[in-house]
Amino acid sequence: MNPSLIQAIAYGAIPVLLAITLHEVAHGYAAKHYGDPTAATLGRLSLNPLRHVDLIGTIVMPLLLIFLTSGAFVFGYAKPVPVDSRNLRRPKQDMLWVAFAGPASNLVMAVLWGLTALVLASMGVREEFFIKMTQVGVLVNLVMAALNLFPLPPLDGGRMLVAVLPYPQAKAVARIEPYGFFVVLLLAATQVLEYWMRPVLAVMETGLGWILRPLAMLLS
């Protein structure tokens, strides 16, 4: 294996595990807040990554793609936290916030990784491993947030779209869910998804800069 790929995996292991774990836990806590205890009952409100790792989606697929594309294209997913919308107090409206909780957690984590980078710099830490880890932490979480906001089920953005559309249109969009994952893979493999990712990531990076700039001035 290319040494640079080994380094990339080492830098990214902790940020990726935290990103997928807290993303799924956020869905579960939001669902519980709005009345659905399914995730809590099944023990999925846990910070143990092993409860959220999907053998194929979290391990096999990303590693296989890293080998096949030399890291140019990597895609994966975690084991979704179960949500029974019938338990929600207002199923259609509440699902909007349950779905949004995942990407929102990634945005918060991107800010925290960015803040960690600023703190390390203010302390004079120059260790490449930690610097790279914070950079990967920011990038992974921004990418996860942007990808999951794509308006196609089963991604969170698709479920948010179903939540805000009138029932006839929402029902039509929801029918895509069994095939949505394959559509997303196709869009990613053909680089069509970049037309969504690039502008959304640009907006997120700008927002992150606005948040971190005052903090950077305080720590300088």
Side-chain angles (χ1 to χ4, degrees):
M1 184 190 287
N2 188 322
S4 62
L5 288 180
I6 296 175
Q7 288 181 333
I9 293 171
Y11 299 143
I14 291 176
V16 168
L17 285 175
L18 282 175
I20 65 172
T21 298
L22 295 179
H23 179 105
E24 295 302 329
V25 168
H27 283 311
Y29 271 111
K32 184 180 179 183
H33 173 76
Y34 288 107
D36 176 34
T38 305
T41 302
L42 296 176
R44 294 295 304 279
L45 299 187
S46 170
L47 295 180
N48 180 357
L50 296 179
R51 291 187 177 273
H52 307 285
V53 166
D54 181 274
L55 177 61
I56 301 299
T58 314
I59 300 174
V60 175
M61 180 182 291
L63 287 177
L64 183 62
L65 289 172
I66 286 173
F67 281 116
L68 293 177
T69 68
S70 297
F73 172 60
V74 182
F75 187 85
Y77 55 89
K79 189 188 302 179
V81 161
V83 176
D84 189 342
S85 61
R86 295 170 297 180
N87 293 328
L88 300 175
R89 288 186 285 275
R90 300 177 305 163
K92 196 169 186 296
Q93 297 93 323
D94 293 345
M95 271 304 298
L96 171 67
W97 303 110
V98 173
F100 180 64
S105 73
N106 292 123
L107 293 175
V108 171
M109 281 186 279
V111 172
L112 293 177
W113 278 112
L115 179 58
T116 301
L118 293 178
V119 170
L120 291 176
S122 70
M123 295 171 61
V125 176
R126 297 290 182 265
E127 175 59 46
E128 183 184 17
F129 181 82
F130 296 114
I131 294 172
K132 290 286 188 181
M133 183 182 291
T134 59
Q135 292 172 347
V136 171
V138 170
L139 180 60
V140 163
N141 280 286
L142 290 182
V143 169
M144 276 193 69
L147 176 61
N148 276 282
L149 287 172
F150 187 69
L152 182 75
L155 296 177
D156 298 324
R159 289 176 175 162
M160 292 167 63
L161 181 63
V162 169
V164 299
L165 286 175
Y167 275 103
Q169 290 84 357
K171 190 175 180 180
V173 174
R175 288 199 189 103
I176 301 172
E177 182 153 346
Y179 319 102
F181 174 73
F182 301 103
V183 175
V184 171
L185 271 180
L186 178 62
L187 294 176
T190 56
Q191 298 185 334
V192 174
L193 196 58
E194 287 191 19
Y195 292 101
W196 166 269
M197 296 293 290
R198 287 184 183 276
V200 174
L201 280 172
V203 170
M204 290 180 176
E205 288 169 354
T206 300
L208 183 63
W210 287 343
I211 293 171
L212 293 179
R213 196 169 296 117
L215 298 174
M217 293 174 63
L218 287 174
L219 293 170
S220 62

